[in-house]
Amino acid sequence: MPESGNTVRVETTVDTRDGAERVARSVIEHRLAACAQVSGPITSFYRWEGRVQADEEWMVVIKTAADRLDDLVAHVGGVHPYDVPEVVAVPVTGGNPAYLEWVRDETRGGTSA
């Protein structure tokens, strides 16, 4: 059974719900993630090109195996509509072992649970 440290949670934001859903569907179709959830709208505040911005965005939360992270980041960069997309990954330090095994299996084409 995989250790929890072998799983990561990745977040990105997109300016439209349709765009967020396209990113989410794409990472699942390419088996780069086991699950991608879209939520929003949210309001993001940030500095870009010297100005403080406040924009409505949609968040995509993605669960994947740690060894798939580099491929996932590269893929998101290719399908994301932003010039510099937010892609932030944090390690999963605990959780349901059966779920974590499912995440690992789904990113490899296998099935469990």
Side-chain angles (χ1 to χ4, degrees):
M1 193 164 297
E3 298 174 26
S4 56
N6 293 333
T7 306
V8 293
R9 176 183 156 131
V10 180
E11 295 179 4
T12 190
T13 54
V14 182
D15 59 348
T16 66
R17 180 183 186 108
D18 286 345
E21 289 178 358
R22 278 193 298 277
V23 169
R25 183 174 300 281
S26 183
V27 299
I28 300 302
E29 287 175 346
H30 286 87
R31 288 207 176 269
L32 295 169
C35 177
Q37 300 159 315
V38 173
S39 62
I42 61 171
T43 303
S44 294
F45 294 85
Y46 58 97
R47 185 178 305 278
W48 183 251
E49 297 178 342
R51 296 181 52 220
V52 174
Q53 308 285 330
D55 291 311
E56 182 176 278
E57 294 185 297
W58 295 81
M59 181 175 286
V60 184
V61 176
I62 304 163
K63 275 74 87 184
T64 193
D67 63 358
R68 297 293 280 153
L69 181 59
D70 290 344
D71 290 336
L72 173 71
V73 171
H75 182 82
V76 170
V79 299
H80 202 288
Y82 292 0
D83 292 337
V84 182
E86 168 196 8
V87 182
V88 178
V90 294
V92 173
T93 60
N96 178 349
Y99 179 82
L100 299 176
E101 182 176 9
W102 173 78
V103 169
R104 183 192 167 284
D105 288 349
E106 283 300 310
T107 60
R108 281 155 180 73
T111 58
S112 68

